Amino acid sequence: ELGRRLREKPCKTRSDLTRATQPQDLKKLIKTEQLNRFAGFGIGLASLFTENVLAHPCIVLRRQCQVNYHARHYHLTPFSIINIMYSFNKTQGPRALWKGMGSTFIVQGVTLGAEGIISEFTPLPREVSHKLNPKQIGEHLLLKCLTYMVAMPFYSASLIETVQSEIIRDNTGILECVKEGIGRVIGLGVPHSKRLLPLFSLIFPTVLHGVLHYIISSIIQKIVLLILKRKTYNSHLAESTSPMQNMLDAYFPELIANFAASLCSDVILYPLETVLHRLHIQGTRTIIDNTDLGYEVLPINTQYEGMRDCINTIKQEEGVFGFYKGFGAVIIQYTLHATILQITKMIYSTLLQNSI
């Protein structure tokens, strides 16, 4: 969606096509317009690839640390996370860091599909107009709530795939996440222990996390976009800018705003995400890697009665920092994302300089 919006963003040189009088100028403008369209697609693709592929090892380590209540090392810094990544790669191979990646795409697809189908058969809007209409906003958030409820069992199955140790893991198919999600709903499939929390008790924390993440992301994104556009507008008034800078200003505010929104929402909601993942994984007989040593495996034998009990238990037994286990992976993830954005900007600037 971000790539489509970037690709369709109007270019300031488009209106100049009608004013070009020389064939050479017209050819240059057409070339710039083609580069502009290609850049919109490329930039969005690079951002999507970074978020869902390159950052996946960070997501795997982050989730394993979050659900590992045994762990003495909390991995709050990126340095310890890098060491444990190296240990997993050395003992289990690269697959240990990219496990469950296919299931994360399935969850995203289920979420988008459920949202589209629900909005199609109900009056709930998928998008909110710029006018602050409380009724429309409430209906839109209700749509998000229903969407997260539909995707919840598949999210649980995907979470298990990403934290399950590769040492005892069977070669599962790409649709195993769908099978496990449906089995969780109807009560069939892999046997679970009596500690397994019923799905209805997971609805509130799952929907709460999803809606808060969406609200925080949307607010941060709009604020950052407003600041960047105002800054760009003031710089244009102060001095004339080059066509290259105009094109950069047309694309990168969207990416920066999206980056800032994801970062802020992940950091703010990290403690809630830790609680959510522990509730989802409880009773599933999942065996995870020992994040203290980088080898061996550990069973998950928690006995939380619900969200409140999980919060109190973590606070008493692991301390406040227990909610932030694996936080170093978030730092690595967004440092990597910021680096890719900067490299993409440099490549795009170079291409524009050669074409203008």
Side-chain angles (χ1 to χ4, degrees):
E1 183 180 355
L2 178 61
R4 177 183 60 80
R5 290 168 62 187
L6 290 170
R7 192 168 60 253
E8 294 176 353
K9 185 177 288 293
C11 175
K12 294 186 179 182
T13 60
R14 187 172 296 176
S15 60
D16 295 336
L17 289 172
T18 58
R19 295 198 297 268
T21 56
Q22 300 296 330
Q24 188 175 7
D25 294 337
L26 181 61
K27 186 180 296 186
K28 181 181 291 188
L29 287 172
I30 293 176
K31 182 180 179 182
T32 304
E33 175 68 12
Q34 291 175 345
L35 177 62
N36 195 42
R37 290 179 176 274
F38 172 76
F41 174 77
I43 292 170
L45 185 62
S47 180
L48 186 66
F49 179 77
T50 304
E51 291 179 11
N52 296 279
V53 180
L54 291 183
H56 191 75
C58 298
I59 296 174
V60 170
L61 263 296
R62 162 182 171 178
R63 292 180 172 183
Q64 283 193 317
C65 292
Q66 285 177 321
V67 301
N68 187 2
Y69 66 98
H70 302 280
R72 296 182 178 180
H73 299 291
Y74 289 8
H75 300 298
L76 302 177
T77 66
F79 306 105
S80 60
I81 284 290
I82 291 175
N83 288 333
I84 207 68
M85 279 185 176
Y86 174 77
S87 298
F88 284 158
N89 183 72
K90 184 178 179 180
T91 57
Q92 303 180 37
R95 288 184 56 183
L97 299 177
W98 267 273
K99 57 189 175 186
M101 187 172 65
S103 66
T104 59
F105 286 111
I106 290 177
V107 172
Q108 293 179 14
V110 170
T111 303
L112 291 174
E115 184 176 342
I117 293 173
I118 294 173
S119 64
E120 188 72 24
F121 291 95
T122 64
L124 303 178
R126 294 191 68 178
E127 297 182 359
V128 180
S129 61
H130 295 291
K131 297 180 180 180
L132 293 178
N133 186 337
K135 181 182 177 182
Q136 189 181 44
I137 293 175
E139 292 176 345
H140 179 67
L141 293 179
L142 177 59
L143 173 63
K144 292 293 182 181
C145 292
L146 295 175
T147 301
Y148 296 136
M149 289 173 60
V150 173
M152 182 176 63
F154 305 101
Y155 182 85
S156 291
S158 175
L159 175 64
I160 294 172
E161 286 193 22
T162 54
V163 301
Q164 182 89 289
S165 176
E166 194 71 18
I167 296 176
I168 52 91
R169 177 185 171 90
D170 297 328
N171 291 326
T172 56
I174 192 172
L175 296 179
E176 189 70 19
C177 173
V178 178
K179 177 183 175 182
E180 290 293 329
I182 296 175
R184 182 74 182 269
V185 174
I186 63 179
L188 298 176
V190 178
H192 301 112
S193 71
K194 295 180 179 179
R195 298 186 305 274
L196 182 71
L197 294 173
L199 283 178
F200 69 83
S201 64
L202 297 175
I203 291 176
F204 177 73
T206 303
V207 172
L208 178 65
H209 177 269
V211 171
L212 287 178
H213 196 283
Y214 175 75
I215 292 174
I216 294 173
S217 297
S218 301
I219 293 174
I220 297 296
Q221 189 173 25
K222 290 184 183 300
I223 292 175
V224 173
L225 269 178
L226 182 63
I227 294 173
L228 292 177
K229 287 181 178 179
R230 182 173 297 179
K231 182 179 178 180
T232 302
Y233 178 75
N234 292 335
S235 64
H236 286 179
L237 292 179
E239 57 182 10
S240 59
T241 55
S242 63
M244 181 189 72
Q245 188 61 42
N246 288 335
M247 292 180 187
L248 290 176
D249 292 339
Y251 288 112
F252 281 92
E254 291 268 0
L255 291 174
I256 295 173
N258 185 63
F259 170 81
S262 298
L263 173 61
C264 291
S265 55
D266 278 355
V267 171
I268 293 172
L269 296 176
Y270 196 87
L272 179 58
E273 184 182 75
T274 299
V275 173
L276 176 66
H277 287 168
R278 292 200 183 189
L279 294 177
H280 272 276
I281 210 74
Q282 177 172 297
T284 57
R285 296 185 176 179
T286 302
I287 306 295
I288 66 170
D289 295 305
N290 189 333
T291 55
D292 285 338
L293 303 176
Y295 57 90
E296 298 182 351
V297 293
L298 297 170
I300 299 296
N301 294 319
T302 55
Q303 297 183 11
Y304 305 123
E305 296 178 1
M307 182 177 175
R308 179 179 297 180
D309 181 53
C310 182
I311 294 173
N312 293 333
T313 303
I314 294 175
K315 188 175 181 180
Q316 292 174 3
E317 297 182 358
E318 303 169 56
V320 175
F321 289 111
F323 294 99
Y324 292 91
K325 283 185 173 180
F327 189 77
V330 176
I331 300 175
I332 296 177
Q333 177 181 345
Y334 284 98
T335 300
L336 177 64
H337 195 174
T339 303
I340 296 297
L341 283 180
Q342 189 62 32
I343 293 174
T344 306
K345 185 175 182 179
M346 292 171 58
I347 295 175
Y348 187 33
S349 300
T350 303
L351 292 174
L352 287 174
Q353 285 177 345
N354 294 334
S355 64
I356 294 177

